Amino acid sequence: MMRMRFVALIVVVALVFITRAEDYTLRATKYHPGMGGAGWVTASGARIDNNKLKKYEIRWVALSHDMFRECGFRLGDTIEVESERVTALNGLWIVKDKMGPRLKRRIDFLLPKGDNYRFTAPTTVTIRKKQASPPPQPAVDE
């Protein structure tokens, strides 16, 4: 039994090191649904509820194609954002959309028209993929 616990501990430690989050520095902009080619449905198929967006209940982002291709991001991933300049962007966001293929190292924040984020010019943010909690380990009888 002790050996099983030791093996389980080694597996958990290995998973922690393998899935260590990596930070990415990106140029950040914002977009509004229904304007400039941005529709009301995201690349993930999610429909944007404008009422929830206006209440800031939706925290969705679009990433440039290179972030999916080269960095392993997927639609539906939860990311953690850090911004010194626009602190309202700090926190957790969900990747629900993709930007145009010509853009590189970019993130677009879905915000309501007339947002109160004081986000008036492109800025730099740091993102990292939020790691899912490891599955619970089964209890081992002594």
Side-chain angles (χ1 to χ4, degrees):
M1 292 299 160
M2 191 65 149
R3 185 176 180 180
M4 269 178 80
R5 285 186 180 178
F6 180 73
V7 170
L9 178 65
I10 296 296
V11 169
V12 169
V13 170
L15 285 174
V16 167
F17 283 107
I18 290 170
T19 61
R20 186 178 54 109
E22 189 170 344
D23 291 356
Y24 300 94
T25 301
L26 305 176
R27 182 174 174 90
T29 52
K30 65 180 176 179
Y31 72 111
H32 311 294
M35 300 184 69
W40 291 94
V41 178
T42 67
S44 67
R47 178 168 278 295
I48 300 167
D49 182 331
N50 200 39
N51 290 326
K52 286 185 178 183
L53 185 61
K54 287 178 182 177
K55 295 176 187 173
Y56 298 93
E57 295 173 1
I58 294 176
R59 289 178 60 95
W60 294 351
V61 297
L63 291 177
S64 54
H65 282 250
D66 62 322
M67 298 305 296
F68 291 93
R69 191 174 49 253
E70 298 166 15
C71 303
F73 285 92
R74 294 185 175 162
L75 292 171
D77 281 349
T78 298
I79 61 169
E80 186 174 2
V81 175
E82 290 180 23
S83 172
E84 289 181 23
R85 189 171 157 268
V86 185
T87 57
L89 298 176
N90 292 342
L92 300 179
W93 293 78
I94 300 173
V95 179
K96 288 283 191 174
D97 215 346
K98 292 183 178 183
M99 299 175 78
R102 72 188 182 287
L103 301 169
K104 305 285 185 234
R105 303 295 278 199
R106 297 280 297 267
I107 185 170
D108 228 356
F109 291 87
L110 177 65
L111 296 175
K113 191 169 181 172
D115 65 89
N116 61 8
Y117 276 34
R118 300 177 199 253
F119 184 14
T120 56
T123 191
T124 301
V125 300
T126 301
I127 70 167
R128 78 186 55 81
K129 191 184 295 187
K130 187 75 174 160
Q131 298 299 322
S133 300
Q137 298 295 318
V140 179
D141 293 335
E142 301 255 349

